[in-house]
């Protein structure tokens, strides 16, 4: 019986290894260990005893996360809410949200960027680039993170400079849209950094995004008297 059990275990491990090697590279990245700081100290994701979802840099790239709210597409219990026709967009975690028309209202779901609290709800919308990881903590999280974390919080952590060697990357995207104005779209994302000495290192990240208009206004400029008032001259 012991011999049969050993053979079964060996067969199971062999099958598991073969299955892992057969996975595409993107799926293997998803299985890597992720270090998080959800409890104000660096830990393995598996060792954190709270409801948390985390994504590392490779996963963010594979999932094409370009805006802060893109993370909600892949996180259970996290949705997008807002008002003012979508101008005030914010996170909704476990059904907790803020439906207030005030432009400077604070959300009950906190958003942090490199441990810096983003107080205004409208500021939760921003471009995501050169990010090391994203941690989504289900609430309440007021004990460690203080106010406005009733529903939870989302923490974006930028990549840190490397003390070992110079490194960097660049990503260029160009698109052409078949529209009356032949709209073009151009996006560049890049970063570079490394050590200056044994104790000093730095990193610079750049993001540029420009898109031409999709529509062209054919309404005569002077039709409502703008020309007679001298506007635009």
């Amino acid at each position: 019986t012991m011999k049969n059990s050993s053979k079964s275990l060996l067969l199971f491990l062999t099958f598991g290894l073969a299955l892992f090697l057969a996975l595409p590279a993107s799926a293997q990245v998803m299985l890597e260990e992720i270090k998080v700081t959800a409890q104000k100290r660096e830990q393995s994701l598996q060792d954190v005893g709270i409801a948390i979802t985390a994504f590392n840099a490779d996963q963010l790239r594979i999932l094409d996360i370009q805006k802060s709210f893109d993370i909600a597409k892949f996180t259970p219990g996290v949705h997008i809410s807002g008002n003012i026709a979508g101008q005030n967009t914010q996170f909704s975690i476990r059904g907790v949200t803020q439906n207030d028309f005030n432009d400077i209202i604070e959300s009950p779901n906190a958003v942090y960027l490199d441990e810096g609290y983003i107080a205004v709800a409208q500021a939760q919308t921003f471009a995501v680039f050169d990010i090391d990881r994203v941690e989504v903590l289900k609430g309440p999280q007021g004990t460690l993170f203080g106010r406005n974390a009733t529903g939870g919080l989302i923490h974006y952590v930028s990549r840190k400079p490397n003390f070992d060697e110079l490194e960097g990357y660049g990503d260029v995207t160009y698109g052409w849209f078949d529209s009356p104005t032949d709209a073009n779209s151009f996006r560049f994302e890049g970063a570079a950094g490394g050590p200056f000495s044994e104790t000093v290192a730095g990193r610079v990240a750049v993001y540029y995004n420009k898109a031409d208009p999709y529509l062209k206004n054919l309404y005569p400029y002077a039709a409502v008297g703008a020309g007679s008032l001298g506007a635009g001259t």
Side-chain angles (χ1 to χ4, degrees), residues 11 19 45 65 69 76 80 91 106 109 112 115 129 144 164 205 214 228:
L11 181 62
L19 180 62
L45 178 62
I65 303 297
F69 286 108
I80 302 304
F91 286 102
E106 292 185 81
N109 303 297
Y112 285 79
E115 299 186 10
F129 64 100
L144 286 177
D164 298 326
Y214 302 107
S228 62

Side-chain angles (χ1 to χ4, degrees), residues 77-99:
V78 178
H79 304 278
I80 302 304
S81 62
N83 47 46
I84 318 178
Q87 297 180 43
N88 186 357
T89 305
Q90 52 192 277
F91 286 102
S92 174
I93 302 178
R94 286 182 167 176
V96 179
T97 188
Q98 174 65 272
N99 188 22

Side-chain angles (χ1 to χ4, degrees), residues 104-153:
I104 58 173
I105 197 69
E106 292 185 81
S107 170
N109 303 297
V111 174
Y112 285 79
L113 178 60
D114 294 329
E115 299 186 10
Y117 174 56
I118 301 177
V120 180
Q122 284 192 339
Q124 293 185 1
T125 305
F126 52 88
V128 173
F129 64 100
D130 201 34
I131 295 293
D132 181 69
R133 67 182 183 276
V134 179
E135 303 175 13
V136 183
L137 283 64
K138 308 297 177 59
Q141 293 293 333
T143 302
L144 286 177
F145 290 89
R147 56 184 287 179
N148 300 324
T150 305
L153 65 96

Side-chain angles (χ1 to χ4, degrees), residues 171-231:
D171 186 7
V172 178
T173 303
Y174 175 80
W176 177 78
F177 300 90
D178 187 11
S179 68
T181 57
D182 295 332
N184 297 311
S185 175
F186 176 80
R187 184 179 70 88
F188 171 77
E189 175 186 339
F196 300 130
S197 68
E198 293 183 357
T199 57
V200 179
R203 186 178 183 87
V204 177
V206 178
Y207 182 85
Y208 178 83
N209 190 7
K210 183 180 184 300
D212 295 334
Y214 302 107
L215 302 176
K216 184 177 181 180
N217 187 3
L218 300 178
Y219 197 77
Y221 175 71
V224 293
S228 62
L229 297 176

Side-chain angles (χ1 to χ4, degrees), residues 13-48:
L13 293 175
T14 304
F15 175 76
L17 179 61
L19 180 62
F20 176 77
L21 294 177
L23 290 173
S26 59
Q28 293 181 22
V29 168
M30 297 299 180
L31 299 178
E32 291 184 0
E33 183 183 50
I34 302 178
K35 295 292 185 179
V36 297
T37 55
Q39 298 186 111
K40 298 295 185 176
R41 61 185 184 273
E42 187 174 288
Q43 297 173 280
S44 172
L45 178 62
Q46 287 78 11
D47 296 334
V48 179

